[in-house]
Amino acid sequence: MLALVWLLSLGACVTGPRTSDEPKSDAKADTHSTSPKPSAIAAGSGHTCVLRESGAVACWGRNDQGQLGDGTTTDRSLPVTVVNAKEIVELALGSSHTCARRRSGAVLCWGSNTRGQLGNGEGGPGQASRRPVAVHGLADASALASGDDHVCALRPNDAMVCWGDNRDGQLGNASQATWTQPVPLRTVVDATAITAGSRHTCALRPGGKPICWGANSAGQLGDGTSKGHDRPSVVEGVPGLLAIAAGGARTCGIGKDGVFCWGELDGKSNQAPIEIAEGSANDPITQLEIGPAHACLRHRGGQVRCWGSNGDGRLGTGDFASQTRPNSVELGSSAIDIAVGQRHTCALRPTGKVACWGNDAAGALGRGDPEGAAIDPGGPRLVMDLSDALAVDSGDGFGCALRKSGQIWCWGRNDLGQLGDGTSVDRLGPAPVEGIEDAIALSLGQAQVCVVRKTGVVVCWGANDQGQLGRPAGAPIHKPLPVAKLDKAIAVSLGSGHACAIQQGGGVACWGSDSEGQLGDGAGSRGGKVANVSDAVALTSGRAHTCALRSSGAVVCWGSNTQGQLGNGIGAAQLKVPAHVPVSVAKVGNAASIAAGPEHTCALEQSGKAVCWGRNDAGQLGSGTSSNVWTSRVPVLDLANVTALDVGWGHTCAAMPNRIACWGDNAAGQGGFEGASAVTPRAGVQGLDVASLALGRDHSCARLRSGEVSCWGSNDRGQLGDGGRSVVARPVEVEGL
C-alpha cells in the first residue's frame, strides 16, 4: 500500500535519501548473513511481512489471494515463510499482493493479480498467484513502491517503470487502463525516491522536489486542484523534502523542519500541504508510514508516534480516541522500523521482535489462534471488510449493514436464515446478501431482516413463524423475498412476530401477528393500515408493539402494553389490555428519534436529553431505580448533549461526542462498562466518533462517521463481525519470529 521512507538494516524499501546518522544498507547486505532475525517490516491492507537478515521473507494475516506466498489461500495468525523467496533486500506490500526486490535487482511478486499488479504479463480475475513469480523484464531495480493495485520501481540512472492498475493514470502512462508488465515513465528520468498511495504515485527529484500523478479526488497530488492526471505535476508549498510517503488518498513528506501532508486529512480534502508535526534537531524524524486512515512516524531515537482514525486501536495509544496530531505509542522500547496497514500497525524492535496493534482480523497481529489470544476482551472490535456503512442494525446474535453501494452485508448467527445467504451457517465476518444492490433502509428483528429497496418494495428473510416476513406463516426463509402488495415504502421496522413500514406520504402499514394489537389497525382483521397516522417520519418496534415518531415531534404507540411500553400513563389495572390503535405517549412532544427494546421504549429529545418508559427490571430506563414498570416517560439521569440513542433487549446506550454511556443489563459486556448492570448511565466505550448505535440482545454496535462499524459484547455467534478476533489498543508481540 505504501513504501517505507528510510533504508533500514538490509535495504528495506528505499524511498528517501539516507542521512548521515542512518545505518548504511550495505553493511549487512554484503555479509550474506544467515540469521533469521527480522531486519525490516512492511504491511498491506490486512497482511504483514518481515524481511529476515538471511534474505528470507515471512508473512502473516489475510491470505485470500495468496498474498502470504506460502502456496495456500489460508489466513495465517502466525508467520509463515514465503516459498522460493531468497536474497530479498526490500519489500513493498499492496492491498492484496506482495512484491520483493532481490539483491540482484530482480523483482518477485505474489498474491492478487486482478489488475496485472504481479507484472508477469498476465492479469485479471482468477490470475492470482500463491507463490512468487518474476516481474517480466526487470532485473535492475533499486527501489520499490506499491499502491493498492499498482507497483513502481526505480532503476539505475533514476529512471522509473510501473505496472498494474492504471485507471487513474497512476502509472504515468494513460494509453492503457492496465499494464501487466513494467512500462517506463518517460517523463520521470531523475527520481531519487518513489512512493505510492492507493491510486496515485509520487517521486522526489534532486533537491527534494516532490512530484505526483494519478488520482486526485482529495488533493493528494498537491497541485492545488482535485483533478487527477497521468502527467507528473510539482507539489507547491513544501520545502525541499528529505523523504516522501503516501497511503490511501494522502501524501506526506519529511522536511528539515517537520512533516507536511496533503490530500485526505481528518476526513477533509487538502489540496495544499499543511504541517502535521514539527521536527527536532536533537531527535529528528527519520521514518514516515501512511495508511488509508492513519499514519505513524519514527524518530531517530526509536520513538513512534501515530495519528488519524483509531476506532480499533490502530494508533497504539491504549485507547480508541482518534487523533489529529501525532501521539506517542506505548511501545515499551525503541523501534528501528514501522509498518502501517489498513487497520493495524507494527513496529520492529532492535532485538528483532515485532509488536503489532489494532485490528486482528484474519490474524493481522500475528498472535496465533483466537482462543489463544484473549487480549483486551472488553474492547470494541471493528467489523472486518466494512468501511462505508450508511446504516447498521443488530438482532439476537447477528448484525447487518447497509453499504454505500446499496448492498446489504450481514454476519453472525444464521440458524434461521437471518443472514440471507441461502444457508444456516453462522458467519464470523460480513458477507453480502445476494441480489440486493439498491437498498435504502433496513431493520432487524429478533431473527429476521427486512430491507426497503429504491423502488419502494420491501424484501425480507429469516424467521417467519408468525408471518412477519409478509408471507404465510411457516418455515424460515433463507433468501430475500418481497412482501406482497407493498411497493411505496420508505422505511421499515421489525418486531418479534410483526413488521411495519412507513409509506410515501407518512402512512404506516403493518403485517404479521396481531395477537396483541401490534398491527395498529383496530380490533379484528382490517388489512394492516395503522389508524390515524399519516405523518410518520420514523418507526421502532419491540416484541409486540410499535411506536411512530410524527413530524411534529410527538410519539404514538400501539400493541402490547404489559410493561407500560406504550407510555400512555395508564394505571396498573389496564396493563393487560393491548392498544389496537395508536395512543399518544404522555409528555413527549419534541422527540428527535425513538428506539424500542422488547418491552421498553426511549426517545431522544431535540434538546439532547433522553426519556424512557416501560420495563425496568434491569435498570434499562436509566432512571436511577430498577422498579419494574413505568407507564409514562421518566428522564434518563445525568445525560445531556446526546447525538445518538438506541435500545437493546435489556440495555440502552447513548452517544455523546467521543464517548458512549450505557445502562441496564451488562452481563455480556454489551454496555461496555464495569459491572453486571447499572440503573443510571455509566461510561462505556470511549473514543469512537459515533454516527448511530445498533443494540442487540447481548452485543452492541456503533456506526462510525468514517463508515466503519465497531461492536462489543458477546461474540458467541460471531455477532461482532471481526472474524472471531479482537482489537488491541496497545502493542503486543508477534509470535513465532
Side-chain angles (χ1 to χ4, degrees):
M1 297 176 67
L2 48 90
L4 304 181
V5 298
W6 290 109
L7 186 60
L8 296 166
S9 296
L10 211 71
C13 300
V14 184
T15 66
R18 192 171 61 247
T19 57
S20 59
D21 50 24
E22 284 289 311
K24 293 183 178 180
S25 63
D26 54 3
K28 292 183 179 179
D30 289 343
T31 65
H32 297 279
S33 171
T34 59
S35 168
K37 178 181 175 182
S39 60
I41 189 167
S45 285
H47 72 296
T48 310
C49 297
V50 291
L51 172 60
R52 299 187 186 275
E53 289 181 347
S54 63
V57 178
C59 302
W60 64 92
R62 177 154 297 159
N63 196 30
D64 58 317
Q65 298 296 313
Q67 56 264 54
L68 302 189
D70 66 343
T72 78
T73 55
T74 302
D75 294 345
R76 304 290 188 180
S77 57
L78 293 173
V80 292
T81 299
V82 177
V83 298
N84 301 326
K86 301 176 181 179
E87 297 186 334
I88 304 301
V89 295
E90 181 181 7
L91 299 172
L93 277 58
S95 178
S96 299
H97 74 279
T98 307
C99 291
R101 178 173 61 89
R102 301 186 70 176
R103 181 176 289 107
S104 65
V107 176
L108 304 174
C109 296
W110 56 94
S112 175
N113 200 25
T114 54
R115 305 298 303 182
Q117 56 265 53
L118 301 190
N120 63 339
E122 301 176 356
Q127 296 297 314
S129 178
R130 304 173 186 178
R131 297 168 180 263
V133 295
V135 174
H136 183 75
L138 185 58
D140 59 354
S142 59
L144 291 178
S146 278
D148 275 3
D149 298 312
H150 77 288
V151 187
C152 292
L154 191 61
R155 302 180 72 175
N157 302 318
D158 301 330
M160 279 185 67
V161 293
C162 297
W163 61 94
D165 188 11
N166 193 35
R167 289 172 292 180
D168 294 283
Q170 58 263 55
L171 305 191
N173 183 329
S175 60
Q176 292 182 191
T178 297
W179 287 88
T180 61
Q181 58 189 33
V183 58
L185 277 77
R186 304 193 187 283
T187 56
V188 182
V189 296
D190 59 352
T192 60
I194 55 174
T195 188
S198 291
R199 299 181 293 118
H200 75 288
T201 310
C202 296
L204 286 186
R205 304 180 85 168
K209 304 283 187 181
I211 56 173
C212 297
W213 59 95
N216 197 28
S217 58
Q220 59 264 46
L221 302 188
D223 62 358
T225 76
S226 58
K227 184 177 181 180
H229 48 77
D230 69 310
R231 174 189 51 80
S233 58
V234 176
V235 179
E236 302 289 353
V238 290
L241 297 179
L242 300 173
I244 191 168
R250 174 172 39 170
T251 313
C252 296
I254 300 175
K256 183 177 64 175
D257 298 321
V259 172
F260 300 85
C261 296
W262 56 96
E264 187 174 339
L265 304 174
D266 303 329
K268 300 177 182 178
S269 298
N270 287 271
Q271 299 172 358
I274 61 173
E275 187 178 68
I276 295 294
E278 294 183 357
S280 168
N282 296 327
D283 191 15
I285 298 167
T286 57
Q287 186 181 356
L288 184 62
E289 290 288 336
I290 312 297
H294 78 295
C296 297
L297 57 82
R298 178 178 63 87
H299 290 264
R300 182 178 62 187
Q303 179 190 18
V304 176
R305 295 192 291 156
C306 299
W307 72 97
S309 177
N310 195 32
D312 46 14
R314 69 186 82 170
L315 300 188
T317 53
D319 57 31
F320 302 97
S322 297
Q323 303 290 339
T324 59
R325 291 292 183 270
N327 277 249
S328 294
V329 176
E330 300 179 4
L331 193 56
S333 68
S334 61
I336 62 171
D337 197 4
I338 53 176
V340 169
Q342 184 175 23
R343 297 176 178 177
H344 75 290
T345 313
C346 295
L348 174 62
R349 295 177 168 133
T351 60
K353 293 293 185 180
V354 174
C356 297
W357 55 94
N359 195 318
D360 196 28
L365 303 189
R367 290 289 296 169
D369 293 331
E371 56 268 26
I375 307 160
D376 206 13
R381 308 182 185 188
L382 214 62
V383 175
M384 59 191 298
D385 301 327
L386 191 60
S387 60
D388 60 353
L390 296 179
V392 64
D393 203 1
S394 296
D396 182 3
F398 76 111
C400 294
L402 165 61
R403 302 190 68 171
K404 188 176 181 179
S405 63
Q407 292 182 320
I408 300 293
W409 283 40
C410 298
W411 60 93
R413 184 174 182 173
N414 197 29
D415 56 319
L416 297 175
Q418 47 267 69
L419 302 190
D421 62 358
T423 76
S424 299
V425 179
D426 293 356
R427 285 186 177 271
L428 298 179
V433 177
E434 187 176 347
I436 299 180
E437 304 282 347
D438 60 350
I440 60 172
L442 87 157
S443 177
L444 274 60
Q446 182 170 344
Q448 62 274 356
V449 183
C450 285
V451 168
V452 181
R453 306 186 75 159
K454 190 177 294 185
T455 59
V457 171
V458 175
V459 295
C460 303
W461 60 91
N464 191 43
D465 55 308
Q466 299 181 65
Q468 58 265 55
L469 304 190
R471 291 178 169 268
I477 296 173
H478 292 77
K479 288 190 175 183
L481 290 176
V483 174
K485 300 179 181 179
L486 190 66
D487 59 2
K488 295 182 179 180
I490 58 175
V492 65
S493 179
L494 274 167
S496 179
H498 76 292
C500 298
I502 301 177
Q503 297 184 290
Q504 294 174 14
V508 178
C510 299
W511 58 92
S513 174
D514 196 28
S515 60
E516 297 179 71
Q518 56 264 58
L519 300 192
D521 58 354
S525 178
R526 296 175 181 268
K529 182 178 179 181
V530 175
N532 305 321
V533 176
S534 60
D535 59 350
V537 295
L539 292 176
T540 186
S541 297
R543 180 190 62 82
H545 80 289
T546 296
C547 295
L549 173 62
R550 310 187 78 154
S551 58
S552 63
V555 179
V556 294
C557 302
W558 59 93
S560 174
N561 201 23
T562 56
Q563 300 292 321
Q565 58 264 49
L566 303 189
N568 59 336
I570 61 170
Q574 299 172 284
L575 289 177
K576 294 183 179 180
V577 180
H580 289 273
V581 295
V583 295
S584 295
V585 176
K587 301 178 182 179
V588 175
N590 64 341
S593 65
I594 52 176
E599 293 172 325
H600 79 290
T601 315
C602 295
L604 171 59
E605 297 181 326
Q606 295 172 13
S607 63
K609 296 184 178 181
V611 295
C612 297
W613 57 93
R615 185 169 183 167
N616 194 40
D617 57 328
Q620 56 263 55
L621 302 189
S623 62
T625 73
S626 57
S627 57
N628 200 33
V629 173
W630 289 84
T631 64
S632 60
R633 65 107 179 103
V634 292
V636 178
L637 299 180
D638 305 322
L639 206 61
N641 301 316
V642 176
T643 58
L645 178 77
D646 200 37
V647 172
W649 265 246
H651 73 297
T652 311
C653 293
M656 286 76 69
N658 287 317
R659 68 187 184 94
I660 297 172
C662 299
W663 56 97
D665 184 18
N666 191 43
Q670 63 266 48
F673 54 80
E674 294 292 332
S677 64
V679 297
T680 56
R682 298 272 297 277
V685 175
Q686 307 297 296
L688 300 182
D689 189 9
V690 176
S692 63
L693 294 168
L695 277 55
R697 177 189 290 275
D698 52 14
H699 79 290
S700 303
C701 293
R703 180 176 66 89
L704 310 184
R705 296 190 191 280
S706 64
E708 296 172 312
V709 176
S710 185
C711 301
W712 58 95
S714 176
N715 201 25
D716 61 327
R717 303 302 290 265
Q719 56 263 53
L720 302 190
D722 65 338
R725 313 196 70 87
S726 183
V727 300
V728 182
R730 292 183 175 88
V732 291
E733 282 195 355
V734 173
E735 302 287 344
L737 284 177

